[in-house]
Amino acid sequence: PVGTGDPKAHLRPTSDRVREAIFNLLINGGYGNPVAGAQVLDVFAGTGALGLEAVSRGAARAVLVERDAALAQALRDVSARLSAQDQVEVVQAEAVGWLQRQTAGSFDLAFVDPPFGAELWQPALAALLPHLAPSAWLYLESPLEITPSLPPDWALHREGRTREVRFAL
């Protein structure tokens, strides 16, 4: 949990099963392939599994935002090992503050999976909206008992649950 003194205690990598389901929905869901050529933003990147998976499935570029310096360096190292440093930008910063300081962008796909104990879904979504393309896809992950509110113009495509998390696309 956050606040235990261990800076990596908040890590909950998205399970392989959920990650596979997300990308199958995106790529095989009858909407073309919104991952191919996409500009991807993975805020609260952690292990970077979602952003790196998007690049491996054809995204043009991914920006991974991670506040922990050691994790950010690990993400840079992984990107280099995968020869993906031209496609993957790692930003070591607190995600909501970083979003608020950026000029408007046009990301096609964003992953929002903040530390569960930090209550960052709504601030992150508010800061994220100016950075998304009009037809962008958004992935949210939260604890089972929390249902983040979608921005007014957004439609829920699919949601699911595991024993630990709720996820929505």
Side-chain angles (χ1 to χ4, degrees), residues 24-39:
N24 281 341
L25 283 169
L26 286 167
I27 294 170
N28 303 318
Y31 299 96
N33 180 352
V35 178
Q39 299 293 315

Side-chain angles (χ1 to χ4, degrees), residues 28-119:
N28 303 318
Y31 299 96
N33 180 352
V35 178
Q39 299 293 315
V40 175
L41 180 59
D42 187 352
V43 293
F44 311 102
T47 64
L50 294 169
L52 293 170
E53 181 82 17
V55 168
S56 78
R57 292 182 182 242
R61 176 174 172 257
V63 176
L64 311 179
V65 182
E66 173 52 49
R67 72 176 177 187
D68 182 84
L71 286 172
Q73 185 57 52
L75 290 169
R76 288 183 193 96
D77 295 344
V78 167
S79 297
R81 273 198 314 275
L82 297 173
S83 299
Q85 42 301 33
D86 291 341
Q87 292 172 277
V88 176
E89 177 185 351
V90 178
V91 175
Q92 196 256 308
E94 187 277 321
V96 174
W98 179 83
L99 285 166
Q100 292 169 338
R101 291 186 302 274
Q102 302 306 302
T103 57
S106 59
F107 287 98
D108 304 300
L109 174 59
F111 298 104
V112 179
D113 180 13
F116 280 5
E119 304 280 331

